[in-house]
Every structure is written in C-alpha cells, then in structure tokens.
C-alpha cells in the first residue's frame, strides 16, 4: 500500500515557517501603528482644542505612538540632512571650511533654545492646523539628532581607505555608484551607532517639545510630554507614574525592535575585525533575516535598488583637475559671498542688539551662566567620582558587563524629564532649597553616558594587561592609578563630554520647575532662558541662548578638546 | 611589429614640499609596454614605482611628460586598464560574486551578461564554490584571487599589479604566482600586457620578461634587463641565480654618492630607521660561521629570509657607521665591526658611541647643541625645522627618530616623548 502524503500539507509547511508568521505580525503591526498615528496629522487645530487633553491612562498608548512617530520623522529628516550636508563638506574643500565650524557651533547651541525661536515661525507656516505645531516639535527633535550624525558621516567620508577609493576609480565607478557602494557602506557602522545614540538622546527633547509655550503662543500636542505637563499642573502623581511606566515600555520596544536589529545589521559593514569582539545579536534581526516571506517581499526592492545604482547620469561629471586661473576666480567669488553673508548677519545682530539689550542684561546673563557652569562642573565631577569606580568594577567582569551595559544605555535613553515631577514634588513637600536640590536633575539623565562609556573602556582592557597585573600582584590603589584609570581615561572623556553637553541642555528644563501652582527656580542661565521664553521676550531669549552657546563653546575648546587629544595620545592602547 | 600598448615619455612627478619647494619623486621616466609582455618595475620601497603605477592607472597626473595608452593620453582612469592591489582592496560588505561584478556594473552591461562573465572569471581563477562568501571569511590568498577575478572580468588590455603577493605568506604567494603564469602561458587570460611592481628580486626574475630597475630618491630607471629564460623558470637554475646576483650588484653599486664606499654622511642625509638589535644581529651573523666577516648579499638575504627592503637598510646603516662595507654585492665587516660583534654590551655601547659621533654628523650636532645650552635641554621642533629645510617633512621625522634611537642606544642623549624634548639627563 503506497503512503500518500497530501501535497497541500507538505506545501503548507514549506510556504510558512514560524519566522514568517512572526515577521508578518510585526510588519502588519508597524503599518497599523503608522497609519493610525499619521491620520491625525492633518486635522485642523480647532479639532485639537475640542479634545481636551486628559489624564486618563487609557490614552497613554495613543500618546506614546504619536510621540514615537514624531521622533521617527525627525530621524528621517536628520538622515537626509546628513547625506547632503556631510557629503558636501567632505567633497568640497571650500564648503568644508565653512560647514564644519558651522556644525561645531550648531552642536553647542542648546536645543530647547531652538524651540523658543522656531515655534512661532512654524506655527505661521501652517496657520490653524496641527501641522504647524508638529513641524515645530519635529524640527526641535531634528536639531537634537542631526548634528552628531552629520559629524560622524563627515569623518567617515574623510577616512575612506585609500585602496578602496583607488579600486573604485580604476573600475570607473561614477560618483553616484561610488557614494552608495563605497562611502555609505563604509560609514554605516558609525552612522548607525550615532543614529541610535541620537534617538536615545532625543526622547528627552521629544517630551520637552510637546508642550510649547512661547509668550502668547501655546501648543500642546497630544503626546507623552504634554501628558506629563498636564499631570504637573494638576499635581497628579499617579499620572506621572503611569507616564513613566508607558515610557519604559516604549523605550524597551524601540530598543528591541529598532536599535538592536539595526546595530546587528550594521555589523556586516564593519571594515576591520576587532580582536575578540562578538558580533551583536538581536532576535528581531534574526526573525527578519530568516523569514522567507520577508525575503521574497523585499526582493523586488533589492533589484530596483541595484538597478538604480547603475544610472549613468553622473558619468560626465568626472572630476577634472581645475585650471589654476579659473580656480582663483571661483575662490574669490566664494569668499566674497561668505563675507557678504557674514556682514549681513553682523548688521542684523547689531541692529537687534541695539534694540533693547543693555550691557547690564549681558552682564546678568553672563553671571547666571557662571552659576550654571559651576553646577555643571560640580555635578559632572560628582557623577564621575561615583560612576567611574562602579563602571570599572562592572566592565572588568564580563558577565556583569553583559547585563549592565545595555541597562546603562537604556537608562541614558530614558527621558529624565519624566522623573523631574517626582523630585520636584518632594522638594515642595520638604521645603528644600531649590538652588541646591534642583541641580541634580541636570545630571540625572546624562550621568549614564559616563557609566556606559567607562564600562566599555574597562571591558576593552586587554586580558594580557590584567594578567600582568595579577602576576606581579599589583592591587589596591596602585592598580587603579597605574592600570584601570589610565586605560578607561579616553572612554571616560568621551562620556563626560556628552554628559556635560547634555547637562547644559537639561538646565533649561531643570532650573525652573513647577508642581501645580508652586513655582521653583534655581538661579542660573537655564532658568533665565525658560523664564524669558514664557514671557515671550525674543531679545532676551536670543541673548540667553547666545551666552549659553558661548559658554559651551569656550568650555569645549579650552577644556574638553585638549583633554580628549591628550587622552588619545597618551592612553590609547596600541 | 604591433603598436605599443603603453608609452611613457620623459615623465616626471614631483610633490610640493613643506618649505615651498618641490620634492622630485620620478625623474625622466621613459618606457614602453609591448603586447604580450610582462614588465617588472623593481626597486626598493619609496622608489616611486607605485607612484608610476598610479600615473599609468590614471589615478594621478604627471607633473611633466606624457603617458599614452593605445595612442591616447591618459587623464582619467582609462577603460581597459585594471589594477590588483597589495592589500586586496575588497569591499567587506559585498560577497565574492558581488565584488567581482562591481567593475561590470560600472560598465553598465546587462545583468545576464554580468552574471555570466563573473561566474566565468570566478571559475577561471579557481574560486568556484566561494561565490556567496564574504571577504572576512576568506584567507589572504583567496582574497587576492578575488582581486584578480575582479580585475580580469572587465577584459582589460593592461593588468597592473601593485606588489600583489607581498601581503601573502611564502607558500600562498608561490601558488598564486605559478597559477597566474600558467594561465598567462596558456593564453587563457583576456589581457595583452602586464606591469608588475615588486621589491622582491626573485619574484621579478620568476615572472617578468623585462625588468626595469629603479633607483631611490628620486626614482630613475637605472637598468632595463631582459629575461630570456624559458617558462616555467627554476629558482635553482644557475642562469636564474646569476641574474639575481647581477640585479643585487646593480642595486647596491649605483647608489647616490653619499652612501658609496668610503663616503660619509652629512647632517642632511636621510637616515634609515634600523634598530640597534638589527644592527647587532647582522654584525654577529656576518662575523660568525660560515661567513667569517664577509658575506654575499643574495645568499645572506636568502638565509635570513630578508628581502631587499629589509636587508638593504641594515647594511647601509652599518656602512654609514663604518662598521661594514658594501662592495659589488658583498658585505664586509670593518675592524670596528668585528670588534663590535665580539664585544659585550657595555663595550658595544662605547664603540657605537664612538662610531656615531664620528660618522653621523646629526648625532654629533645634537649633542653639541645640548651641551652648549645652559640647562642642556632642547625641543624636538628645533631640530625638525632644521632638517625640513633640506628634506620632506616625513623624511625629517624618520631621520630624527632614527638618530634618537641610535643616540639612546649609545647613551649620548635622552628624549622625552611627552614633552618632546632632548636632554643630557636620563631619566629627567
């Protein structure tokens, strides 16, 4: 008797593996999420007023979805910016001379300061519609993400390995093909890492930018940020806890479904094999990779992509060496253009400054800046003293490192401003001095950068070095002084630079805090900017931002950068 | 007589120097590549042969002179010229097949044709089965095969090879060489001419029909040697060995004046960076059995597994310090050299100090300056600036580092890298 296996059953098994099912669920869920969230974008503003914000926790998932959508849109814009700005700076010597310092300054401007100035502009772009407010919020988030991505891409473009560049030239790849086949893949690992860091950092600004109030213009976009703002107004601690919980879940989802898969995917672009580095794993990435449905669905896109790389529009634009006289003329034109733009800016500034900013205003801003500077210095020092030893302890134990480093990254991503109401309510109840006790808020979210960088540094100490220490019985303070601290120093500096920059940003929302109708304030530049924003005094807002940028740039140039170079030169291993 | 594939006429290349002058890298190069030829460019590292190759590949333009390919001057990478690189230059994010297809995609051929040609090239070069592997999964030899496949699949007329086997171990390099020569001999390669850049004399004699010898600094063609031996060539063949010896002699004999026998270095001689360990080691080897103070350079290089690039700097340093003499392809120890080989560590240092002060003016100058100064301290930049007036920045850095290392061994002066200063106290 012949055994007959029904073809349908066998075929069914072959068509769908469990990976396919998972992948379908995930992708469908993503599509629904995107569809629902974007449906609201084009509603008129009046609609928004009709649905008063509510503290009902049942609305939180929807609010969280909209918050996330804003961030993703901002990320796409940041990518677009990165690919154009950084490429221009890397390929053109003339553009580079202007664009790179410009980027440096932009990085130092406090992001929340940007919001104050731009929200009115964007509201005017789409009057009466929610879209204007959304633009303003998305732009704010964009400014928190784009700069370091652009820097990283620029650096990668400048350090493309010579031989690969030569191979591209000898095989006559046109500039378009070369960009997508060589430049972008080479830059991918660093770019993705920076993207993920940017997104983690911008949760803070998403939350802060959803309840914007500049003078008479008030916008509260539905989202977690405005939920918290309302909770603060109504002194609803339970609502605050709900929001924190929701955010934890959201960040967990984003970490597992976006962060880790992207980092795992970027591993294929790694140019050098680091000794002993394990490739990053992500279950979501494995799901997508092993699912044949996903493979088949994306196949036409892959072919389309490959074919698009073969366009020959750019063939005739092969780089020809300039003739010397022509080069001089173009350089002259460029320089005069820049000088013209700069003098126009100067004229604008002078007129603006003369119209209402007195010397005493400037003096006040500088003094307040000094207070905030003191706070940042003290807090970073405190955070270092606490977290560096702990970070080294964790980093030198591989099992602990595997658990705690992702945790520290997670904590760095979590928007600390959601925790502020808890601290503020405690200060109000305990009648504590805001000048001292509001300060730790500034470093609450940024101290984790120090921790996870130091963990990475400690984990990178070569095993041989530790073996030598054990063999020669080097222990106690000597071990710290001669081995551990020098080895993690470059990593520490990287983390501290980020933490310091983040703290300046945080000061705008940390030095002024309210709980219900109780208004707390610590004397400092952040409070100055926040207060002037609420009053709508544009000149003072700009003054405050300018002074804060000035401080950040000065501190960067005179302290952090030389320290970083010193650390690189003296303590780099190998 | 078929037209020459490539003609280089009176070609010069120079780079701007830090002090505004020009640093001449290639000096009046003249040569032609005919069809069916493998031409070798042989010289030490830094002799400009890689620069010349890049000029031929269209990656740079010559400061003077003309390079024509099939009658047309080269001003951008010409179609029909492909290159194989020393460190393979594979794209890590593309599979073997995708890497090989890259050149064809740039040509804009239809997909079916691209795939067919790529698979054919992979088959020819012996990579069948590795199509979906990534470069990180492959050994060095396999990676270079991918490099060859990629270069050959576009059917170039001229194949340029920039030290293609020097990053591989001896066995793999030998396999690749013989495979390449087999394919070339059987006419299975679509190419018409090959230019091979190498610093390995035996490799050049093994593979090339003509060898052009380059001098260093600036690079000139000092000899054009025809290799008439029939393929497959045997390294042990007496004619082969004669040719190798002849090339060694040519390369050691025609040196720029300062390093000839009996000549001394000036303050502005570029010094090679050779550690005291290497100098001691070579002296001991030549002093011992079976050489007893005099050795034939090719034989010595063979025994020590040192190629021209490794052996010559050491030998020249010894000549500079008057511890040995190089004459007609042989190295002969002087009396001082023999003394050094037999002495203990302390005596060696004293002897070395004497030779250094006597024959390397830069070291004497350094010490004098330090002695004249009140606190016996001088910054590195002071000496670097002095040297940069007469040589490129890179050469100045290397020379200063070389003289620092020798000075430290001789205990003539000390150097602190953190503060970048020289001093007479050690440690400060």
């Amino acid at each position: 008797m012949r055994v007959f296996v029904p073809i349908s059953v066998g075929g069914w098994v072959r068509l769908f593996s469990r990976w396919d099912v998972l992948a379908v669920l995930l992708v469908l869920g993503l599509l629904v999420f995107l569809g629902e969230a974007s449906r609201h974008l084009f509603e008129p503003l009046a609609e928004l007023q009709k649905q008063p914000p509510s503290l009902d926790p049942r609305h939180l998932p929807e609010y969280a979805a909209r918050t996330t959508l804003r961030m993703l849109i901002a990320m796409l814009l940041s990518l677009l910016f990165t690919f154009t700005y950084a490429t221009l700076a890397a390929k053109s010597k003339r553009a580079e001379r202007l664009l790179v310092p410009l980027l440096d300054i932009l990085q130092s401007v406090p992001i929340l300061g940007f919001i104050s100035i731009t929200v009115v502009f964007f509201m005017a772009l789409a009057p009466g519609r929610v879209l204007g407010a959304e633009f303003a919020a998305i732009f704010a988030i964009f400014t928190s993400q784009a700069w370091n991505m652009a820097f990283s891409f620029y650096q990668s473009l400048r350090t493309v390995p010579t031989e690969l560049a030569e191979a591209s030239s000898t095989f006559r790849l046109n500039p378009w093909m070369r960009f997508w086949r060589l430049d972008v893949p080479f830059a991918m690992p660093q770019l993705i890492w920076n993207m993920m860091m940017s997104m983690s950092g911008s949760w803070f600004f998403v939350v802060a930018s959803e309840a914007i109030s500049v003078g008479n213009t008030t916008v509260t976009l539905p989202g977690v940020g405005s939920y918290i703002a309302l909770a603060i107004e109504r002194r609803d601690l339970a609502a605050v806890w709900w929001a924190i919980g929701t955010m934890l879940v959201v960040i967990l989802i984003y970490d597992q479904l976006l962060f880790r898969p992207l980092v795992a995917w970027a591993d294929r672009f790694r140019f050098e094999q680091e000794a002993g580095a394990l490739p990053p794993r992500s279950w979501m990435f494995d799901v997508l990779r092993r699912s044949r449905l996903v493979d088949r669905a994306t196949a036409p896109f892959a072919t389309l992509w490959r074919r698009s790389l073969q366009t020959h529009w750019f063939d005739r634009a092969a780089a020809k060496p300039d003739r010397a006289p022509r080069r001089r003329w173009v350089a002259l034109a460029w320089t005069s253009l820049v000088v013209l733009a700069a003098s126009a800016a100067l004229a604008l500034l002078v007129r603006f400054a003369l119209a209402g900013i007195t010397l005493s205003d400037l003096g006040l801003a500088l003094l307040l800046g000094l207070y905030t500077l003191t706070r940042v210095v003290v807090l970073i020092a405190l955070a270092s003293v606490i977290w560096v030893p702990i970070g080294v302890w964790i980093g030198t134990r591989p099992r602990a490192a595997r658990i705690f480093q992702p945790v520290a990254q997670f904590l760095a991503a979590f928007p600390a401003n959601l925790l502020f109401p808890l601290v503020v309510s405690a200060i109000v109840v305990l009648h504590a001095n805001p000048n001292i006790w509001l300060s730790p808020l500034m470093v609450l979210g940024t101290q984790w950068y120090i921790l996870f960088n130091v963990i990475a540094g400690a984990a990178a100490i070569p095993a041989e070095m530790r073996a030598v220490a054990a063999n020669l019985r080097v222990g106690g303070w000597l071990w710290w002084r001669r081995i551990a601290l020098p080895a993690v120093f470059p990593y520490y500096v990287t983390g501290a630079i980020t933490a310091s920059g983040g703290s300046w940003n945080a000061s705008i929302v940390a030095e002024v805090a309210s709980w219900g109708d109780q208004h707390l304030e610590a004397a400092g530049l952040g409070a100055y900017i926040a207060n002037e924003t609420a009053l709508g005094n544009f000149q003072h807002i700009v003054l405050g931002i300018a002074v804060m940028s000035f401080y950040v740039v000065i501190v960067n140039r005179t302290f952090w950068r030389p320290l970083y170079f010193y650390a690189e030169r003296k303590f780099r291993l190998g | 007589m078929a037209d020459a594939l490539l003609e280089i006429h009176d070609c010069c290349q120079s780079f701007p120097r830090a002090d505004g002058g020009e640093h001449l890298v290639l000096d009046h190069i003249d040569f032609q590549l005919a069809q069916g030829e493998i031409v070798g460019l042989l010289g030490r590292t830094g002799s400009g042969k890689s620069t010349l190759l890049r000029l031929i590949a269209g990656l740079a333009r010559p400061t003077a002179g003309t390079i024509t390919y099939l009658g047309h001057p080269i001003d951008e990478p010409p179609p029909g010229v492909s290159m194989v690189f020393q460190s393979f230059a594979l794209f890590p994010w593309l599979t073997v097949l995708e890497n090989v297809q890259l050149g064809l995609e740039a040509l804009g051929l239809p997909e079916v044709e691209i795939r067919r040609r790529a698979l054919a090239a992979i088959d020819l070069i012996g990579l069948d089965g590795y199509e979906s592997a990534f470069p990180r999964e492959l050994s060095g030899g396999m990676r270079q095969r991918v490099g060859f496949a990629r270069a050959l699949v576009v059917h170039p007329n001229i194949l340029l090879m920039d030290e293609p086997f020097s990053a591989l171990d001896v066995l793999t390099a030998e396999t690749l060489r013989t495979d390449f020569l087999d394919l070339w001999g059987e006419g299975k390669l679509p190419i018409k001419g090959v230019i091979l850049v190498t610093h390995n004399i035996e490799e050049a004699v093994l593979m090339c029909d003509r060898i052009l010898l380059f001098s260093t600094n600036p690079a000139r063609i000092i000899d054009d040697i025809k290799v008439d031996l029939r393929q497959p060539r045997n390294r042990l063949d007496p004619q082969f060995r004669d040719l190798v010896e002849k090339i060694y002699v040519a390369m050691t004999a025609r040196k720029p004046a300062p390093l000839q026998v009996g000549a001394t270095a000036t303050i502005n001689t570029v010094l090679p960076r050779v550690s005291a360990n290497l100098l001691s080691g070579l002296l001991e080897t030549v002093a011992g059995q079976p050489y007893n103070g005099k050795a034939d350079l090719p034989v010595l290089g063979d025994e020590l597994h040192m190629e021209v690039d490794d052996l010559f700097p050491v030998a020249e340093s010894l000549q500079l310090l008057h511890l040995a003499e190089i004459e007609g392809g042989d190295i002969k120890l002087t009396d001082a050299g023999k003394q050094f080989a037999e002495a203990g560590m302390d005596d060696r240092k004293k002897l070395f100090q004497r030779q250094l002060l006597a024959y390397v003016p830069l070291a004497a100058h350094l010490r004098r300056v330090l002695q004249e100064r009140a606190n016996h301290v001088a910054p590195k930049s002071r000496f670097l600036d002095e040297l940069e007036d007469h040589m490129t920045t890179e050469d100045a850095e290397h020379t200063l580092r070389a003289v620092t290392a020798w000075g430290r061994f001789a205990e003539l002066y000390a150097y602190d890298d953190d503060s970048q200063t020289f001093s007479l106290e050690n440690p400060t």
Side-chain angles (χ1 to χ4, degrees):
Chain A
M1 177 110 138
R2 253 175 36 206
V3 177
F4 186 77
V5 177
I7 298 177
S8 53
V9 170
W12 176 265
V13 165
R14 253 180 290 125
L15 273 179
F16 292 104
S17 71
R18 61 176 186 276
W19 299 113
D20 287 327
V21 175
L22 275 173
V24 164
L25 282 175
L26 286 166
V27 172
L28 279 179
L30 185 71
L31 288 172
V32 168
F33 157 71
L34 281 174
E36 273 300 295
S38 41
R39 194 156 51 91
H40 299 285
L41 267 183
F42 289 94
E43 282 174 351
L45 204 57
E47 274 292 315
L48 201 59
Q49 317 289 36
K50 259 193 268 167
Q51 304 165 359
S54 122
L55 279 181
D56 189 347
R58 267 174 303 177
H59 288 160
L60 268 175
E62 182 201 327
Y63 289 165
R66 298 185 70 164
T67 304
T68 314
L69 183 66
R70 276 181 209 116
M71 202 153 86
L72 291 174
I73 295 177
M75 175 52 68
L76 281 172
L77 290 174
S78 302
L79 261 179
L80 202 65
F81 172 80
T82 299
F83 282 151
T84 48
Y85 192 94
T87 315
L88 190 61
K91 303 281 184 194
S92 156
K93 275 260 170 300
R94 264 176 250 125
E96 182 181 7
R97 260 180 269 139
L98 178 66
L99 293 180
V100 174
L102 191 64
L103 201 57
D104 198 20
I105 306 286
L106 282 170
Q107 257 189 341
S108 318
V109 174
I111 293 156
L112 294 174
F114 266 124
I115 303 182
S116 326
I117 303 178
T118 56
V119 80
V120 177
F121 167 71
F122 280 112
M123 290 291 282
L125 269 188
R129 290 201 164 268
V130 179
L131 208 52
E134 295 280 3
F135 275 153
I138 291 175
F139 180 74
I141 305 165
F142 163 83
T143 56
S144 75
Q145 293 172 339
W147 317 135
N148 72 313
M149 281 167 57
F151 247 133
S152 144
F153 195 61
Y154 164 76
Q155 294 283 47
S156 301
L157 285 178
R158 283 192 356 144
T159 52
V160 169
T162 330
E163 291 212 333
L164 286 187
E166 287 178 345
S168 309
S169 294
T170 48
F171 291 111
R172 297 158 59 83
L173 265 60
N174 62 45
W176 177 253
M177 201 169 168
R178 183 198 150 125
F179 183 73
W180 291 109
R181 281 284 190 200
L182 174 62
D183 295 326
V184 171
F186 178 72
M188 233 3 139
Q190 271 303 106
L191 183 63
I192 289 196
W193 178 249
N194 273 287
M195 262 172 76
M196 295 297 110
M197 284 291 110
S198 284
M199 279 189 84
S200 300
S202 59
W203 287 113
F204 185 93
F205 300 104
V206 176
V207 167
S209 69
E210 280 173 351
I212 314 164
S213 167
V214 184
N216 287 327
T217 319
T218 311
V219 175
T220 27
L221 294 163
V224 178
S226 43
Y227 183 89
I228 277 268
L230 189 63
I232 293 174
E233 219 177 276
R234 301 210 188 139
R235 306 179 79 136
D236 189 342
L237 256 177
V240 172
W241 281 110
W242 277 115
I244 292 177
T246 313
M247 216 50 205
L248 276 171
V249 171
V250 167
I251 294 190
L252 196 69
I253 294 178
Y254 136 82
D255 183 74
Q256 292 297 302
L257 295 189
L258 192 62
F259 190 128
R260 308 247 158 229
L262 270 179
V263 172
W265 177 68
D267 197 54
R268 92 178 266 193
F269 300 104
R270 199 153 42 108
F271 188 69
E272 274 143 17
Q273 296 280 74
E274 278 143 19
L278 286 165
R281 302 302 308 273
S282 156
W283 59 267
M284 167 79 170
F285 186 54
D286 290 339
V287 164
L288 289 174
R289 234 194 332 203
R290 290 182 201 167
S291 149
R292 262 178 316 175
L293 251 187
V294 170
D295 200 40
R296 246 174 274 166
T298 55
F301 293 106
T303 330
L304 207 67
W305 174 246
R306 247 200 338 270
R307 236 172 261 144
S308 76
L309 289 184
Q310 293 182 24
T311 55
H312 291 277
W313 305 335
F314 296 85
D315 268 356
R316 283 283 91 197
K320 292 248 189 290
D322 302 291
R323 299 276 167 263
R326 196 181 124 225
R327 178 188 250 159
R328 263 214 316 267
W329 180 87
V330 178
L332 202 64
W334 172 250
T335 325
S336 32
L337 188 70
V338 172
V339 168
L340 209 67
S343 15
L346 190 65
L348 201 70
L349 275 172
V350 167
R351 202 182 61 171
F352 172 84
L354 289 177
I357 307 236
T358 63
L359 223 58
S360 66
D361 284 336
L362 181 64
L364 177 68
L366 284 170
L367 183 66
L368 292 176
L370 219 55
Y371 290 160
T372 309
L373 176 65
T374 318
R375 280 202 194 92
V376 171
V377 167
V378 167
L379 290 167
I380 295 284
L382 265 174
S384 309
V385 166
I386 299 176
W387 293 116
V388 167
I390 297 180
V392 172
W393 190 93
I394 295 178
T396 48
R397 286 160 179 75
R399 260 184 322 179
R402 252 205 305 277
I403 303 172
F404 284 109
Q405 207 191 6
V407 168
Q409 282 172 341
F410 183 89
L411 289 170
F414 189 82
N417 34 7
L418 291 181
L419 301 172
F420 287 3
L422 300 176
V423 178
V424 172
S425 59
I427 295 180
V428 166
V429 164
L430 297 173
H431 297 289
N433 180 0
N435 262 316
I436 302 176
W437 292 104
L438 274 181
S439 311
L441 290 179
M442 276 165 59
V443 92
L444 191 63
T446 53
Q447 58 187 329
W448 311 118
Y449 286 105
I450 296 181
L451 178 61
F452 82 69
N453 270 293
V454 170
I455 293 180
I461 298 179
E464 285 181 341
M465 226 183 251
R466 283 194 273 168
V468 166
N471 183 248
L472 296 173
R473 303 185 16 152
V474 177
W477 177 234
L478 189 65
W479 185 81
W480 281 95
R481 214 180 91 220
R482 289 291 187 192
I483 297 174
L485 290 177
V488 302
F489 194 64
Y491 294 85
Y492 164 72
V493 173
T494 310
I497 294 179
T498 319
S500 146
S503 303
W504 278 99
N505 263 303
S507 71
I508 299 182
V509 283
E511 280 177 349
V512 167
S514 45
W515 183 243
D517 49 0
Q518 276 272 35
H519 187 82
L520 297 171
E521 191 175 315
L525 197 51
Y528 180 78
I529 296 178
N531 286 334
E532 298 297 334
T533 308
L535 291 172
N537 282 339
F538 276 107
Q539 271 125 350
H540 287 189
I541 298 175
V542 173
L543 176 68
I545 297 173
V547 170
M548 190 180 268
S549 315
F550 167 76
Y551 269 111
V552 174
V553 169
I554 294 285
V555 168
N556 262 339
R557 294 286 165 100
T558 58
F559 183 65
W560 287 122
R561 254 210 227 165
L563 194 65
Y564 183 74
F565 287 132
Y566 174 71
E568 276 286 289
R569 199 167 54 98
K570 180 136 186 186
F571 298 108
R572 195 172 25 111
L573 290 167
Chain B
M1 173 75 152
D3 281 330
L5 277 176
L6 185 76
E7 282 197 30
I8 301 184
H9 193 63
D10 222 16
C11 173
C12 296
Q13 179 73 314
S14 48
F15 294 114
R17 251 203 334 235
D19 65 350
E22 299 255 300
H23 176 63
L24 191 63
V25 174
L26 290 172
D27 196 8
H28 292 89
I29 305 290
D30 264 306
F31 93 91
Q32 285 153 345
L33 177 71
Q35 292 208 22
E37 262 197 317
I38 302 183
V39 171
L41 307 181
L42 180 62
R44 294 173 54 184
T45 305
S47 55
K49 41 193 210 298
S50 286
T51 313
L52 183 61
L53 205 71
R54 274 156 182 78
L55 289 177
I56 298 173
L59 294 171
R61 275 161 141 235
T63 324
T66 55
I67 305 182
T68 47
Y69 163 67
L70 290 180
H72 303 286
I74 298 178
D75 44 50
E76 54 163 28
V81 174
S82 268
M83 194 147 138
V84 175
F85 296 84
Q86 182 178 6
S87 64
F88 326 127
L90 298 181
F91 290 71
W93 42 84
L94 299 178
T95 60
V96 165
L97 185 63
E98 287 167 345
N99 263 294
V100 173
Q101 285 177 335
L102 191 65
L104 296 172
E105 282 176 3
L107 288 175
L109 297 177
E111 261 195 56
V112 169
E113 175 74 10
I114 290 180
R115 203 179 159 80
R116 190 188 62 80
R117 284 224 262 184
L119 290 174
I122 287 177
D123 188 36
L124 182 73
I125 218 77
L127 278 170
D128 240 342
Y130 287 90
E131 289 90 347
S132 49
F134 283 98
R136 62 172 177 265
E137 305 173 63
L138 303 174
S139 69
M142 282 308 182
R143 290 185 202 176
Q144 192 60 296
R145 283 184 197 266
V146 180
F148 273 106
R150 178 179 64 178
L152 294 169
V153 82
V154 292
H155 292 185
N157 285 321
I158 304 181
L159 182 67
L160 306 174
M161 304 207 274
D162 187 7
E163 307 201 23
F165 310 114
S166 60
L168 305 172
D169 62 272
V170 173
L171 286 174
T172 314
E174 194 62 19
T175 310
L176 256 71
R177 276 189 212 111
T178 44
D179 280 355
F180 180 81
L181 287 171
D182 285 342
L183 288 173
W184 171 256
E186 290 163 22
K188 290 205 182 132
L189 298 177
I191 51 185
K192 299 204 180 72
V194 179
I195 300 181
L196 167 70
V197 162
T198 178
H199 61 237
N200 185 338
I201 297 181
E202 289 201 6
E203 176 176 294
V205 178
L206 196 74
M207 295 189 71
C208 306
D209 300 318
R210 258 170 68 206
I211 303 179
L212 300 173
L213 283 188
F214 280 73
S215 66
T216 337
N217 230 353
R220 274 188 210 103
I221 299 183
I222 51 181
D223 215 344
D224 185 339
I225 302 175
K226 250 184 104 52
V227 184
D228 274 327
L229 308 168
R230 273 190 48 210
Q231 291 283 1
R233 295 174 188 166
N234 188 350
R235 285 174 200 266
L236 303 172
D237 185 17
Q239 280 184 304
F240 191 102
R241 301 247 52 96
D242 275 344
L243 198 52
V244 171
E245 177 79 33
K246 178 178 168 189
I247 294 177
Y248 260 96
V249 172
M251 286 181 81
T252 51
R254 309 199 199 186
K255 290 247 144 291
L259 288 176
Q260 270 176 350
V261 176
T264 46
T266 64
I267 264 191
N268 298 315
T269 318
V270 178
L271 296 174
R273 286 183 62 186
V274 177
S275 83
N277 287 320
L278 274 175
L279 297 173
S280 311
L282 192 62
L283 283 171
E284 283 170 20
T285 310
V286 176
Q289 303 281 5
Y291 307 108
N292 290 317
K294 178 167 170 183
D296 185 32
L297 277 173
V299 173
L300 193 61
D302 214 18
E303 188 208 303
L304 298 173
H305 298 291
M306 287 172 89
E307 289 175 2
V308 165
D309 270 344
D310 309 312
L311 186 58
F312 278 24
V314 187
E316 278 163 13
S317 304
L318 290 178
Q319 179 163 271
L320 204 66
L321 293 161
H322 285 234
L323 292 168
E325 281 169 0
I326 303 179
E327 204 180 302
D330 289 342
I331 179 170
K332 201 169 91 139
L333 298 188
T334 59
D335 289 331
K338 288 186 191 141
Q339 252 185 310
F340 189 101
E342 282 153 31
M345 183 54 89
D346 279 338
D347 290 326
R348 278 189 179 179
K349 285 193 179 240
K350 289 207 190 85
L351 186 71
F352 196 79
Q353 196 184 88
R354 235 178 28 228
Q355 302 294 109
L356 196 62
L357 281 173
Y359 299 113
V360 180
L362 183 58
H365 171 69
L366 250 142
R367 184 161 172 93
R368 213 173 27 243
V369 167
L370 287 169
Q371 276 171 332
E372 281 166 12
R373 288 197 173 197
N375 52 356
H376 303 306
V377 169
K380 168 181 165 182
S381 52
R382 182 209 176 285
F383 299 108
L384 202 60
D385 290 336
E386 264 183 347
L387 288 174
E388 271 175 358
D389 288 338
H390 302 270
M391 52 178 95
T392 64
T393 318
E394 219 184 306
D395 280 342
E397 269 281 344
H398 286 320
T399 304
L400 204 56
R401 254 187 249 201
V403 88
T404 308
W406 288 352
R408 276 167 159 166
F409 180 74
E411 294 182 30
L412 217 51
Y413 40 75
Y415 176 68
D416 180 5
D417 196 43
D418 263 351
S419 56
Q420 307 236 309
T421 50
F422 287 94
S423 67
L424 284 181
E425 310 256 314
N426 189 21
T428 45

